[in-house]
Amino acid sequence: MSPTAIPGVERILFTEEQIEARIREVAADISRDYAGKTVKLVGVLKGSVFFLTALARHIEVPLKIDFLAISSFSDRSGSPGVVRIAKDLDEGIEGEDVLLVEDIVDTGFTLRYLLQTLASRAPNSLAVCTFLDRHSRRIVQSPVKYRCFEIPDRFVVGFGLDHNQLYRNLGCVAVMKPEKQ
Ligand code: IMP
Ligand code: MG
C-alpha cells in the first residue's frame, strides 16, 4: 500500500531511499569516530528499533547492542518530562563506549533523563545518535552528536515512530494529518 493511501497520513517527509542513504552517511561518521574501539549501541524501546538495526548494519567497528524502555508521563500540574525506566539494560556499561540511539529528540526531557542515568554508570564515553531531531521544540538542551534528519514541528510516524502504537512498520517517515495528531 502506498503510504499516502494509509488512513491518517498526509504526506511523506522522507522516502525509504532517502532514509537508507542518510543512515549510511551517519554510520560512516560513527565508524570513523569509533575506529579502534568497540561501540555499544543502547536503543530506547520501542521507537528506535528500526533505526538502530538499520544503522548497526552499516557500522564497521565491532559493536554490541542493548536496550532499555522508558515510560514518560505528565505530572498533575501538567508539566512534561517525568520519565522513568520501565525496562533496564541487560548488562552494565562501565568502561564502555556507549552510543545512545533515539528515534526522535523533541523537548529533550527524555534525553536528559537518559543521559543522567547512563552517565552515573561510568561509561568510558557517552554520546547520542538520533534518527530525527525537532530542534524547534527543545526545552532542555542536550548534546546530540549524530542526527539523520531535522524535522518541522509536525507529528510524524514511520520507521519506528508510532501514533497509538501503529505505523511503526512504515518504511518511510510520514506527516500525520492534523486531525489525527
Ligand atoms: P521528548 O524529547 O522528551 O519530548 O520526547 C521524545 C519522545 O516523544 C520520543 O522518544 C517519542 O517517543 C515521542 N515523540 C515525540 N514526537 C513524536 C512524533 O512526531 N511522532 C512520534 N513520537 C514522537
Ligand atoms: Mg522514544
Side-chain angles (χ1 to χ4, degrees), residues 27-66:
D29 291 344
I30 292 168
S31 301
R32 187 196 59 229
D33 294 350
Y34 288 84
K37 297 178 177 172
T38 296
V39 64
K40 176 170 272 187
L41 302 185
V42 167
V44 185
L45 295 171
K46 312 182 190 65
S48 75
V49 168
F50 289 74
F51 174 50
L52 184 145
T53 56
L55 184 72
R57 288 183 54 182
H58 296 299
I59 291 178
E60 292 177 345
V61 297
L63 72 81
K64 300 178 182 176
I65 293 172
D66 206 345

Side-chain angles (χ1 to χ4, degrees), residues 2-17:
S2 134
T4 45
I6 295 172
V9 164
E10 179 183 290
R11 66 185 163 95
I12 295 172
L13 199 55
F14 306 114
T15 65
E16 283 194 57
E17 292 72 25

Side-chain angles (χ1 to χ4, degrees), residues 61-117:
V61 297
L63 72 81
K64 300 178 182 176
I65 293 172
D66 206 345
F67 290 100
L68 52 75
I70 50 162
S71 56
S72 47
F73 48 90
S74 297
D75 65 19
R76 281 181 196 177
S77 67
S79 61
V82 183
V83 184
R84 69 173 181 84
I85 290 186
K87 177 227 171 288
D88 208 337
L89 296 173
D90 289 336
E91 293 175 357
I93 54 168
E94 188 177 341
E96 297 199 275
D97 292 298
V98 174
L99 186 56
L100 180 63
V101 180
E102 264 285 21
D103 53 355
I104 181 168
V105 181
D106 189 40
T107 63
F109 280 111
T110 307
L111 188 57
R112 178 177 66 177
Y113 171 80
L114 289 173
L115 286 175
Q116 284 172 350
T117 302

Side-chain angles (χ1 to χ4, degrees), residues 150-174:
E150 176 70 37
I151 63 163
D153 190 7
R154 294 289 307 277
F155 196 86
V156 297
V157 294
F159 212 78
L161 289 108
D162 75 302
H163 180 254
N164 294 338
Q165 299 300 326
L166 294 171
Y167 304 97
R168 293 192 197 275
N169 59 327
L170 289 184
C172 62
V173 170

